[in-house]
Amino acid sequence: MNIKIVCLFMASLAFLIQSCSEPVKTDLTQTAFIPKPVSVTATGTAFEVNNSTIIYVQNGAEELMKTAEILAAKIGKATEKITIQPVQEAPSKGIYIAVEASDELGAEGYELTIDKKLITIKGTDPAGCFYGVQTFLQTLPANLASGEAIYVPTGTIRDYPVYAYRGMMLDVSRHFFPKEDVKKVIDMLAAYKINIFHLHLSDDQGWRIEIKSWPKLTEIGGSTQVGGGEGGYYTQEDYKEIVQYAMDRSITIVPEIDMPGHTNAALASYAELNCDGKARDHYTGTEVGFSSLCTDKEITYEFIDDVVRELAEITPGPYFHIGGDESLSTKHDDYVYFVNRVQKIVEQYGKKVIGWDEIANAELIDNATIQFWANEKNTKLGVEKGAQVIMSPARYAYLDMQYDSTTHLGLHWAAYIEVDRGYNWDPAKLVEGITQENIKGIEAPLWAETITNLDEIEYMVFPRISGYAEIGWTPAEQRDWESYKLRLAKHGKRFEKMEIDYYKSKLVPWEE
Ligand code: ACM
């Protein structure tokens, strides 16, 4: 065959393949971004990502290499092999990731510019670069097939978060989840620009973190869970691995040791922590409010000092959560004395205190943060005492609340939280007198009394977490349920691609 005919044949074949697949999208403003970016403008053409696309990384910006690798792994699935290359200057084509300070965008902000030949992701810091990459990934089709060229609509996105603290909490005490499950949850959160993962590491039913100076905490306290299963715990090496995995995805781990209540697992492990000197039995039920550390024994504070010291040493993030909720069997004055002392221990090890809203009844030290979950009076008191607030209202943001009366998992003591209810609230308008300047951010907790495995975590977390991510990121005046539900509908396929077993709410017109 004549070479010209071969070329002509190949070209028409390529055209046919191209025209049989989805039409090339060229309007960036039509992309279903979650969280919704602050500004998106379209320029009406498309960038082609293929095998020869190179990811260029600003030379010397070590933290960006991991982000580039995560990006390469995602698009590499579609186009096989993607090269990552450090460069001194911006290239003329390919994908370029760089840090560039910008007062206008602020912390965690980024500008993503997609031209026909070059995609530039400029973050004001490494986190901003990571979020720019996450936004870019949402411009790609949910179902990337191996070897296929991908087209990305051109334009510019300028974006930054409303709140600096955008979190999810996982209770690993009531049921224990292995570190592989925790990493999968972290992956899912990272895709939606969540930057805090709070681990509720101890409670009545289980102690889940190795403390070398108090080994029975995990030997005894970690050996069971709700319903009497075998429980489990993270070694300090496991925990460090989780911390690093999260850090590579711009997520900070907040460890919580809940006290003085919610401590039966510790009280079962060490007799001396009890006022009567007698070790408690394991507890595998789901009641609350019956346990308390002995607030007037010195050994209690030696114990806490060791726990905080060991955990602070392996926690690079700034926070240490001291719990403080539902200490119903601790006398008020004892509670206040205890919380005052424990805050000082946390401060001594260089961490900032977070506690559930009850800790507002103590004298709050500088930089303390209270996590509003139930009591507005406590929360206002905390703000009067100078604290910042994390908004986790149980009636809107608790991921263990059932979607409706037919949900087979979870509880409903605070509310049924359908996907619209979970989305339709503004942290700055929820509690009278508490406004945006008092609020550090939001967090959606998943308590695990009824949650026993990763599939169940996914079902309760998705799709509501995408809405919490948007509440934390996007200005309230740019959010509305009608627009959100149409964007969310397009994320069903993304959840499926990530093998997330999500709740297919009837309120959302999911795309098939
Ligand atoms: C809580 O739900 N006890 C903070």
Side-chain angles (χ1 to χ4, degrees):
M1 225 190 287
N2 173 317
I3 186 87
K4 271 192 188 154
I5 297 176
V6 173
C7 287
L8 201 63
F9 174 73
M10 304 266 284
S12 18
L13 196 63
F15 176 77
L16 272 176
I17 291 170
Q18 172 62 44
S19 43
C20 289
S21 59
E22 275 191 40
V24 173
K25 294 196 171 82
T26 56
D27 185 355
L28 189 63
T29 64
Q30 295 304 303
T31 309
F33 295 113
I34 299 178
K36 188 178 182 184
V38 172
S39 102
V40 182
T41 51
T43 47
T45 54
F47 174 100
E48 181 186 337
V49 188
N50 58 37
N51 290 347
S52 59
T53 303
I54 296 178
I55 301 174
Y56 298 95
V57 176
Q58 184 182 36
N59 205 2
E62 280 306 308
E63 292 140 298
L64 302 187
M65 282 312 273
K66 197 75 215 175
T67 298
E69 282 164 23
I70 289 170
L71 172 61
K74 293 267 191 214
I75 56 179
K77 274 190 200 134
T79 60
E80 270 136 44
K81 194 148 169 42
I82 295 279
T83 307
I84 302 174
Q85 208 171 293
V87 284
Q88 289 295 357
E89 284 183 14
S92 59
K93 59 181 191 171
I95 301 175
Y96 177 53
I97 309 176
V99 173
E100 189 177 288
S102 157
D103 288 344
E104 207 187 311
L105 295 173
E108 300 184 288
Y110 67 90
E111 184 177 87
L112 164 63
T113 311
I114 306 169
D115 291 328
K116 260 186 105 161
K117 296 277 174 229
L118 175 69
I119 294 180
T120 309
I121 298 167
K122 278 191 190 154
T124 58
D125 47 30
C129 291
F130 185 82
Y131 300 135
V133 164
Q134 298 312 311
T135 300
F136 166 65
L137 288 171
Q138 292 190 5
T139 65
L140 306 178
N143 288 312
L144 296 179
S146 184
E148 208 174 79
I150 319 162
Y151 293 91
V152 179
T154 56
T156 299
I157 296 176
R158 291 171 63 74
D159 200 13
Y160 48 86
V162 178
Y163 293 108
Y165 187 112
R166 306 177 301 280
M168 178 195 152
M169 186 205 84
L170 182 64
D171 166 13
V172 296
S173 176
R174 271 52 176 274
H175 283 96
F176 178 70
F177 305 102
K179 71 176 174 204
E180 290 70 30
D181 292 356
V182 170
K183 285 185 186 171
K184 180 138 193 241
V185 174
I186 289 171
D187 279 334
M188 301 186 284
L189 301 181
Y192 290 93
K193 303 186 178 73
I194 284 179
N195 65 355
I196 295 283
F197 189 49
H198 166 185
L199 281 170
H200 183 77
L201 289 167
S202 69
D203 212 302
D204 292 319
Q205 297 85 348
W207 185 284
R208 307 299 181 204
I209 179 73
E210 175 191 25
I211 301 296
K212 292 183 196 290
S213 53
W214 295 75
K216 288 197 283 184
L217 288 171
T218 44
E219 261 168 51
I220 296 173
S223 66
T224 191
Q225 58 184 5
V226 166
E230 68 181 17
Y233 64 91
Y234 308 115
T235 62
Q236 292 199 358
E237 289 308 309
D238 292 335
Y239 180 82
K240 285 192 225 168
E241 201 179 309
I242 292 169
V243 164
Q244 186 61 50
Y245 193 84
M247 213 192 300
D248 289 343
R249 287 153 185 79
S250 286
I251 292 177
T252 299
I253 299 291
V254 175
E256 177 185 352
I257 299 297
D258 202 350
M259 50 194 160
H262 289 280
T263 42
N264 190 78
L267 299 169
S269 307
Y270 287 97
E272 57 269 46
L273 296 177
N274 296 275
C275 287
D276 62 7
K278 291 189 188 131
R280 296 294 178 264
D281 289 336
H282 279 309
Y283 182 68
T284 60
T286 60
E287 295 297 313
V288 297
F290 59 89
S291 58
S292 180
L293 290 172
C294 191
T295 57
D296 51 14
K297 266 185 163 178
E298 266 324 288
I299 193 164
T300 297
Y301 301 97
E302 288 161 23
F303 162 73
I304 293 168
D305 194 285
D306 285 335
V307 170
V308 175
R309 175 177 46 76
E310 288 197 31
L311 202 40
E313 264 169 22
I314 52 173
T315 302
Y319 302 114
F320 192 102
H321 201 305
I322 61 170
D325 58 319
E326 298 175 310
S327 294
L328 309 177
S329 61
T330 319
K331 287 202 193 87
H332 178 82
D333 290 352
D334 294 345
Y335 176 87
V336 169
Y337 171 78
F338 176 89
V339 173
N340 288 348
R341 265 189 89 167
V342 170
Q343 289 181 90
K344 296 211 179 80
I345 296 173
V346 170
E347 187 179 43
Q348 184 193 327
Y349 290 109
K351 298 297 173 194
K352 293 180 186 162
V353 168
I354 304 180
W356 297 104
D357 61 47
E358 289 94 327
I359 71 157
N361 293 294
E363 288 162 29
L364 297 177
I365 58 167
D366 287 350
N367 292 315
T369 301
I370 48 177
Q371 185 163 10
F372 168 60
W373 67 281
N375 190 313
E376 296 191 1
K377 208 166 129 221
N378 285 341
T379 309
K380 287 186 204 171
L381 181 63
V383 168
E384 277 162 33
K385 292 181 178 178
Q388 288 280 104
V389 179
I390 296 163
M391 284 289 183
S392 300
R395 61 188 198 278
Y396 291 104
Y398 265 27
L399 288 163
D400 58 316
M401 291 299 114
Q402 295 169 326
Y403 293 99
D404 64 24
S405 62
T406 69
T407 308
H408 61 291
L409 299 164
L411 306 169
H412 60 262
W413 59 264
Y416 290 116
I417 307 181
E418 244 299 356
V419 182
D420 58 346
R421 181 179 173 87
Y423 180 81
N424 263 330
W425 61 283
D426 178 353
K429 300 224 169 96
L430 200 67
V431 181
E432 209 195 312
I434 296 188
T435 56
Q436 198 170 317
E437 73 232 31
N438 309 124
I439 298 172
K440 199 165 241 155
I442 88 159
E443 186 180 291
L446 179 64
W447 299 100
E449 285 93 336
T450 68
I451 310 300
T452 67
N453 60 41
L454 182 60
D455 280 348
E456 294 175 358
I457 292 176
E458 290 171 356
Y459 188 80
M460 297 309 277
V461 172
F462 280 86
R464 287 182 291 199
I465 197 72
S466 311
Y468 299 126
E470 181 151 304
I471 295 174
W473 184 280
T474 309
E477 56 285 2
Q478 290 192 34
R479 299 197 286 109
D480 73 274
W481 166 251
E482 291 305 319
S483 132
Y484 174 70
K485 86 175 174 197
L486 299 179
R487 284 180 287 121
L488 182 59
K490 296 198 165 126
H491 281 245
K493 278 193 222 149
R494 291 183 191 277
F495 300 154
E496 280 154 30
K497 183 79 183 172
M498 286 192 267
E499 295 178 2
I500 296 173
D501 185 16
Y502 66 104
Y503 164 63
K504 255 188 150 168
S505 168
K506 290 195 178 63
L507 304 180
V508 180
W510 301 103
E511 274 192 4
E512 290 310 324

